[in-house]
Amino acid sequence: MGDIEVPESHPRYQSLLTRHRIEAGVEKGITSKQGLIAEGRGEAFDYLLGERTLDSADEAERAAAAHLLLARHPVVSVNGNVAALCPAELVELAEATGADLEVNLFNRTEERVRAIADHLREHGAREVKGLAADERVPGLDHERAKVDADGIHDADVVLVPLEDGDRAEALGRMGKTELVVDLNPLSRSPRVAAVPIVDNVIRAIPNVTRYARDLRDAPREELEAIVEAFDREAALADAERAIREGGG
Ligand code: PTJ
């Protein structure tokens, strides 16, 4: 997807680039129109957080990498926003952690699932799940309940960028460990996640990959110690503090 001609020196370069990617995603049939609204909400929180990765988010990203490496069957859930924003980075994360990529949409249409799967393949993905949709997440009546039996349904650890609160709770009831990326620390999904990552997906996904590569050969005990030491309440509280204090 072609990026716009914005000079890198522009103070809002990253945010303009991100907007353009979401817009191009809508044009390509990848991102839903509601995705534009979600992007606006995300941008507002990113602005309040100082458009940078907080130390507490960096710790969450390291804990997420440890969870993915320890998992029996890790899956990275992909929606229309994250597919438009960082497709190649999702493929790299899946490769670094041995996770499956599964398209799972809030506003599901078969056409959009196929377009996202094709888009991920264009960015190097070998296998993309989510097309079979032969199982359901119990207790959810909307389209996001549709999952693959050998994908999210079987997973023990799921990384969900931009999750909706209902499904986050439903996956939790299934006993899955959820790693949620969401710029809004008050949103229900990060609040129910084992690892809430309050950061922009465009920074969070590559950073989880970097940690996964660093930790790839670490002994299990070291990974378990990272998971144990992570304090989800403290991470959420730190993000709220940063917003109140203005990006600090
Ligand atoms: O592609 P689909 O059909 O699965 O739909 C995806 C969206 C995102 C449209 C759908 O899940 C939705 O409506 O989400 P919400 O309820 O608007 O929630 C989106 C959350 O993601 C909000 O809390 C935003 O702050 C946050 N968010 C938006 N952009 C980013 C983000 N978090 C991290 N990085 C972003 N770039």
Side-chain angles (χ1 to χ4, degrees), residues 33-52:
K33 285 189 187 151
Q34 287 191 22
L36 293 167
I37 299 166
E39 166 65 21
R41 278 171 73 189
E43 267 188 35
F45 282 103
D46 207 10
Y47 183 84
L48 293 170
L49 286 161
E51 294 176 343
R52 64 181 192 91

Side-chain angles (χ1 to χ4, degrees), residues 78 101-105 108 112-113 116-117 120 128-130:
V78 181
L101 289 170
E102 176 162 341
V103 182
N104 182 262
L105 303 180
R108 184 185 175 103
R112 204 148 67 82
V113 175
I116 293 172
L120 291 172
V128 181
K129 294 202 156 106

